[in-house]
Amino acid sequence: SILGDKTRMPYLSTRKSCFIRPSPSSGTLGGAARSTYEAALCSHVAGFPVTIIETVGVGQSEIDVAGMVDFFILLVSPSSGDELQGLKKGVVEVADAVVVTKADGNMVTEANHVAAEYVSALKLIGMMRRQREGSWIPRVLTCSAKTGEGL
């Protein structure tokens, strides 16, 4: 969408230390455009120490971006049925953290419920084996962009 990134991120888009570049996927599978990795490298060389890559929406086959980043966060909305999609193998297996969004107002209870489902799902599909191997244990968190809680 035209200016979609800048209208969704009004605070960040006005900061001199922040550069926002839309990168349409052009139908590319994997969750990001073919040039996304190169764009991230360019931003690092240009002096931006942190690069956030937002995918077009993640399904089972759209996990290629996990190989481009240091930390992969799966964002889940509490009321859209995403929790069922996320339970599929693939995207949950590569996630370093799962964050349930919109945890404010009348959605707090639902967000906490979805977060609890993800904790159970991670245990069920064997993600906790990482603990035995001495590596990162994926965390499940909630947040609210409206209130700033959990950000």
Side-chain angles (χ1 to χ4, degrees), residues 15-108:
R15 297 182 67 180
K16 291 183 185 217
S17 62
C18 182
F19 174 73
I20 298 174
R21 180 191 182 278
S23 181
S25 70
S26 303
T28 303
L29 292 177
R34 286 184 170 86
S35 62
T36 300
Y37 182 71
E38 289 82 7
L41 287 175
C42 287
S43 73
H44 181 72
V45 170
F48 294 95
V50 175
T51 301
I52 298 172
I53 299 172
E54 178 183 15
T55 65
V56 295
V58 182
Q60 278 183 283
S61 66
E62 296 176 321
I63 58 172
D64 290 350
V65 74
M68 299 179 199
V69 299
D70 294 323
F71 197 85
F72 185 92
I73 302 173
L74 173 63
L75 300 177
V76 181
S77 177
S79 62
S80 66
D82 284 347
E83 62 274 9
L84 298 177
Q85 176 68 21
L87 292 176
K88 293 181 179 180
K89 284 191 171 189
V91 69
V92 174
E93 290 179 344
V94 299
D96 294 303
V98 176
V99 179
V100 182
T101 62
K102 302 178 184 172
D104 52 57
N106 61 352
M107 296 299 294
V108 171

Side-chain angles (χ1 to χ4, degrees), residues 79-151:
S79 62
S80 66
D82 284 347
E83 62 274 9
L84 298 177
Q85 176 68 21
L87 292 176
K88 293 181 179 180
K89 284 191 171 189
V91 69
V92 174
E93 290 179 344
V94 299
D96 294 303
V98 176
V99 179
V100 182
T101 62
K102 302 178 184 172
D104 52 57
N106 61 352
M107 296 299 294
V108 171
T109 302
E110 181 65 19
N112 289 333
H113 176 73
V114 171
E117 287 181 354
Y118 268 93
V119 169
S120 296
L122 288 169
K123 289 178 184 176
L124 182 66
I125 63 173
M127 292 296 287
M128 292 309 182
R129 71 180 175 273
R130 291 182 178 181
Q131 182 179 21
R132 290 191 307 272
E133 297 167 1
S135 61
W136 181 256
I137 300 167
R139 294 193 55 197
V140 179
L141 309 164
T142 60
C143 76
S144 168
K146 184 185 283 186
T147 66
E149 185 77 26
L151 295 180

